[in-house]
mmCIF file of all heavy atoms in Angstrom:
data_model
loop_
_atom_site.group_PDB
_atom_site.id
_atom_site.type_symbol
_atom_site.label_atom_id
_atom_site.label_comp_id
_atom_site.label_asym_id
_atom_site.label_seq_id
_atom_site.Cartn_x
_atom_site.Cartn_y
_atom_site.Cartn_z
ATOM 1 N N ALA A 60 64.779 72.945 92.775
ATOM 2 C CA ALA A 60 63.477 73.275 92.196
ATOM 3 C C ALA A 60 62.774 74.247 93.140
ATOM 4 O O ALA A 60 62.460 73.894 94.278
ATOM 5 C CB ALA A 60 62.638 72.020 91.999
ATOM 6 N N CYS A 63 57.635 75.369 94.492
ATOM 7 C CA CYS A 63 56.840 74.161 94.259
ATOM 8 C C CYS A 63 55.479 74.262 94.959
ATOM 9 O O CYS A 63 55.370 74.768 96.075
ATOM 10 C CB CYS A 63 57.577 72.932 94.777
ATOM 11 S SG CYS A 63 59.144 72.607 93.937
ATOM 12 N N THR A 64 54.451 73.761 94.282
ATOM 13 C CA THR A 64 53.116 73.698 94.877
ATOM 14 C C THR A 64 52.695 72.261 95.169
ATOM 15 O O THR A 64 51.867 72.020 96.037
ATOM 16 C CB THR A 64 52.073 74.337 93.946
ATOM 17 O OG1 THR A 64 52.069 73.641 92.689
ATOM 18 C CG2 THR A 64 52.390 75.809 93.700
ATOM 19 N N GLU A 65 53.255 71.295 94.430
ATOM 20 C CA GLU A 65 52.962 69.879 94.666
ATOM 21 C C GLU A 65 54.237 69.069 94.467
ATOM 22 O O GLU A 65 55.008 69.340 93.545
ATOM 23 C CB GLU A 65 51.875 69.371 93.712
ATOM 24 C CG GLU A 65 50.518 70.029 93.912
ATOM 25 C CD GLU A 65 49.461 69.446 92.983
ATOM 26 O OE1 GLU A 65 49.692 68.325 92.474
ATOM 27 O OE2 GLU A 65 48.437 70.107 92.772
ATOM 28 N N VAL A 66 54.431 68.069 95.329
ATOM 29 C CA VAL A 66 55.618 67.212 95.264
ATOM 30 C C VAL A 66 55.197 65.779 95.561
ATOM 31 O O VAL A 66 54.458 65.533 96.520
ATOM 32 C CB VAL A 66 56.693 67.652 96.281
ATOM 33 C CG1 VAL A 66 57.899 66.719 96.204
ATOM 34 C CG2 VAL A 66 57.108 69.093 96.048
ATOM 35 N N ALA A 67 55.676 64.839 94.735
ATOM 36 C CA ALA A 67 55.366 63.425 94.974
ATOM 37 C C ALA A 67 56.510 62.565 94.458
ATOM 38 O O ALA A 67 57.024 62.808 93.359
ATOM 39 C CB ALA A 67 54.067 63.034 94.280
ATOM 40 N N PRO A 68 56.948 61.542 95.233
ATOM 41 C CA PRO A 68 57.995 60.635 94.742
ATOM 42 C C PRO A 68 57.453 59.791 93.590
ATOM 43 O O PRO A 68 56.306 59.336 93.624
ATOM 44 C CB PRO A 68 58.311 59.778 95.974
ATOM 45 C CG PRO A 68 57.084 59.847 96.825
ATOM 46 C CD PRO A 68 56.489 61.199 96.593
ATOM 47 N N ALA A 69 58.290 59.596 92.556
ATOM 48 C CA ALA A 69 57.837 58.825 91.394
ATOM 49 C C ALA A 69 59.026 58.360 90.570
ATOM 50 O O ALA A 69 59.916 59.155 90.251
ATOM 51 C CB ALA A 69 56.910 59.670 90.521
ATOM 52 N N ASP A 70 59.045 57.067 90.232
ATOM 53 C CA ASP A 70 60.043 56.494 89.314
ATOM 54 C C ASP A 70 61.474 56.840 89.715
ATOM 55 O O ASP A 70 62.286 57.261 88.886
ATOM 56 C CB ASP A 70 59.781 56.976 87.881
ATOM 57 C CG ASP A 70 58.402 56.565 87.385
ATOM 58 O OD1 ASP A 70 57.943 55.482 87.786
ATOM 59 O OD2 ASP A 70 57.804 57.332 86.606
ATOM 60 N N GLY A 71 61.781 56.679 90.977
ATOM 61 C CA GLY A 71 63.137 56.935 91.432
ATOM 62 C C GLY A 71 63.491 58.403 91.522
ATOM 63 O O GLY A 71 64.639 58.754 91.799
ATOM 64 N N GLY A 72 62.527 59.270 91.295
ATOM 65 C CA GLY A 72 62.762 60.712 91.384
ATOM 66 C C GLY A 72 61.575 61.393 92.029
ATOM 67 O O GLY A 72 60.946 60.844 92.937
ATOM 68 N N TRP A 73 61.243 62.576 91.520
ATOM 69 C CA TRP A 73 60.163 63.362 92.109
ATOM 70 C C TRP A 73 59.357 64.038 91.004
ATOM 71 O O TRP A 73 59.925 64.636 90.095
ATOM 72 C CB TRP A 73 60.732 64.436 93.045
ATOM 73 C CG TRP A 73 61.607 63.891 94.125
ATOM 74 C CD1 TRP A 73 62.926 63.548 94.023
ATOM 75 C CD2 TRP A 73 61.226 63.606 95.467
ATOM 76 N NE1 TRP A 73 63.399 63.069 95.217
ATOM 77 C CE2 TRP A 73 62.374 63.093 96.126
ATOM 78 C CE3 TRP A 73 60.038 63.735 96.182
ATOM 79 C CZ2 TRP A 73 62.357 62.717 97.463
ATOM 80 C CZ3 TRP A 73 60.021 63.362 97.519
ATOM 81 C CH2 TRP A 73 61.166 62.854 98.144
ATOM 82 N N ASP A 74 58.034 63.918 91.086
ATOM 83 C CA ASP A 74 57.151 64.673 90.199
ATOM 84 C C ASP A 74 56.766 65.966 90.906
ATOM 85 O O ASP A 74 56.273 65.940 92.045
ATOM 86 C CB ASP A 74 55.890 63.870 89.860
ATOM 87 C CG ASP A 74 56.170 62.780 88.838
ATOM 88 O OD1 ASP A 74 57.207 62.864 88.152
ATOM 89 O OD2 ASP A 74 55.348 61.851 88.728
ATOM 90 N N LEU A 75 56.985 67.088 90.226
ATOM 91 C CA LEU A 75 56.771 68.397 90.846
ATOM 92 C C LEU A 75 55.842 69.258 90.000
ATOM 93 O O LEU A 75 55.824 69.153 88.776
ATOM 94 C CB LEU A 75 58.103 69.148 90.997
ATOM 95 C CG LEU A 75 59.305 68.399 91.568
ATOM 96 C CD1 LEU A 75 60.546 69.276 91.458
ATOM 97 C CD2 LEU A 75 59.046 68.017 93.016
ATOM 98 N N THR A 76 55.097 70.106 90.676
ATOM 99 C CA THR A 76 54.397 71.217 90.027
ATOM 100 C C THR A 76 54.918 72.478 90.676
ATOM 101 O O THR A 76 54.947 72.584 91.903
ATOM 102 C CB THR A 76 52.875 71.127 90.218
ATOM 103 O OG1 THR A 76 52.394 69.916 89.637
ATOM 104 C CG2 THR A 76 52.187 72.313 89.545
ATOM 105 N N ARG A 77 55.366 73.421 89.850
ATOM 106 C CA ARG A 77 55.918 74.641 90.425
ATOM 107 C C ARG A 77 55.472 75.872 89.649
ATOM 108 O O ARG A 77 55.106 75.790 88.473
ATOM 109 C CB ARG A 77 57.442 74.579 90.485
ATOM 110 C CG ARG A 77 58.148 74.434 89.149
ATOM 111 C CD ARG A 77 59.644 74.395 89.368
ATOM 112 N NE ARG A 77 60.401 74.444 88.129
ATOM 113 C CZ ARG A 77 61.626 74.933 88.024
ATOM 114 N NH1 ARG A 77 62.225 75.420 89.094
ATOM 115 N NH2 ARG A 77 62.264 74.936 86.877
ATOM 116 N N GLU A 86 54.162 74.713 85.991
ATOM 117 C CA GLU A 86 54.984 73.785 85.225
ATOM 118 C C GLU A 86 55.041 72.431 85.928
ATOM 119 O O GLU A 86 55.339 72.352 87.120
ATOM 120 C CB GLU A 86 56.402 74.357 85.086
ATOM 121 C CG GLU A 86 57.365 73.439 84.355
ATOM 122 C CD GLU A 86 58.781 73.973 84.366
ATOM 123 O OE1 GLU A 86 59.306 74.250 85.466
ATOM 124 O OE2 GLU A 86 59.361 74.138 83.281
ATOM 125 N N ASP A 87 54.759 71.356 85.191
ATOM 126 C CA ASP A 87 54.902 69.992 85.702
ATOM 127 C C ASP A 87 56.245 69.441 85.234
ATOM 128 O O ASP A 87 56.526 69.427 84.025
ATOM 129 C CB ASP A 87 53.773 69.094 85.187
ATOM 130 C CG ASP A 87 52.421 69.473 85.777
ATOM 131 O OD1 ASP A 87 52.391 69.916 86.934
ATOM 132 O OD2 ASP A 87 51.404 69.320 85.072
ATOM 133 N N VAL A 88 57.071 68.999 86.169
ATOM 134 C CA VAL A 88 58.403 68.501 85.823
ATOM 135 C C VAL A 88 58.703 67.232 86.614
ATOM 136 O O VAL A 88 58.076 66.956 87.644
ATOM 137 C CB VAL A 88 59.500 69.553 86.114
ATOM 138 C CG1 VAL A 88 59.307 70.785 85.264
ATOM 139 C CG2 VAL A 88 59.521 69.925 87.590
ATOM 140 N N HIS A 89 59.666 66.469 86.117
ATOM 141 C CA HIS A 89 60.166 65.300 86.839
ATOM 142 C C HIS A 89 61.617 65.571 87.210
ATOM 143 O O HIS A 89 62.445 65.863 86.342
ATOM 144 C CB HIS A 89 60.073 64.040 85.979
ATOM 145 C CG HIS A 89 60.571 62.810 86.682
ATOM 146 N ND1 HIS A 89 59.857 62.196 87.693
ATOM 147 C CD2 HIS A 89 61.721 62.100 86.536
ATOM 148 C CE1 HIS A 89 60.537 61.152 88.133
ATOM 149 N NE2 HIS A 89 61.669 61.074 87.451
ATOM 150 N N LEU A 90 61.924 65.495 88.488
ATOM 151 C CA LEU A 90 63.262 65.785 88.986
ATOM 152 C C LEU A 90 63.966 64.486 89.346
ATOM 153 O O LEU A 90 63.440 63.676 90.110
ATOM 154 C CB LEU A 90 63.178 66.690 90.224
ATOM 155 C CG LEU A 90 64.492 66.995 90.947
ATOM 156 C CD1 LEU A 90 65.399 67.847 90.071
ATOM 157 C CD2 LEU A 90 64.228 67.697 92.277
ATOM 158 N N GLU A 91 65.148 64.293 88.770
ATOM 159 C CA GLU A 91 65.969 63.136 89.113
ATOM 160 C C GLU A 91 67.237 63.625 89.785
ATOM 161 O O GLU A 91 68.034 64.341 89.175
ATOM 162 C CB GLU A 91 66.296 62.317 87.860
ATOM 163 C CG GLU A 91 65.085 61.631 87.246
ATOM 164 C CD GLU A 91 65.457 60.703 86.104
ATOM 165 O OE1 GLU A 91 66.664 60.650 85.771
ATOM 166 O OE2 GLU A 91 64.561 60.036 85.556
ATOM 167 N N ALA A 92 67.398 63.269 91.042
ATOM 168 C CA ALA A 92 68.568 63.689 91.810
ATOM 169 C C ALA A 92 68.707 62.785 93.021
ATOM 170 O O ALA A 92 67.719 62.215 93.500
ATOM 171 C CB ALA A 92 68.430 65.147 92.251
ATOM 172 N N ALA A 95 66.586 65.672 96.704
ATOM 173 C CA ALA A 95 65.742 66.733 96.149
ATOM 174 C C ALA A 95 65.890 67.995 96.990
ATOM 175 O O ALA A 95 65.669 67.972 98.201
ATOM 176 C CB ALA A 95 64.284 66.292 96.122
ATOM 177 N N LEU A 97 64.252 71.573 97.406
ATOM 178 C CA LEU A 97 62.990 72.191 97.014
ATOM 179 C C LEU A 97 62.690 73.409 97.877
ATOM 180 O O LEU A 97 63.086 73.470 99.039
ATOM 181 C CB LEU A 97 61.830 71.194 97.173
ATOM 182 C CG LEU A 97 62.021 69.776 96.624
ATOM 183 C CD1 LEU A 97 60.896 68.882 97.105
ATOM 184 C CD2 LEU A 97 62.077 69.811 95.106
#
Side-chain angles (χ1 to χ4, degrees):
C63 297
T64 59
E65 295 183 19
V66 179
D70 300 327
W73 304 82
D74 284 342
L75 313 173
T76 299
R77 61 180 188 153
E86 177 186 55
D87 292 327
V88 297
H89 180 73
L90 175 67
E91 292 187 357
L97 313 169

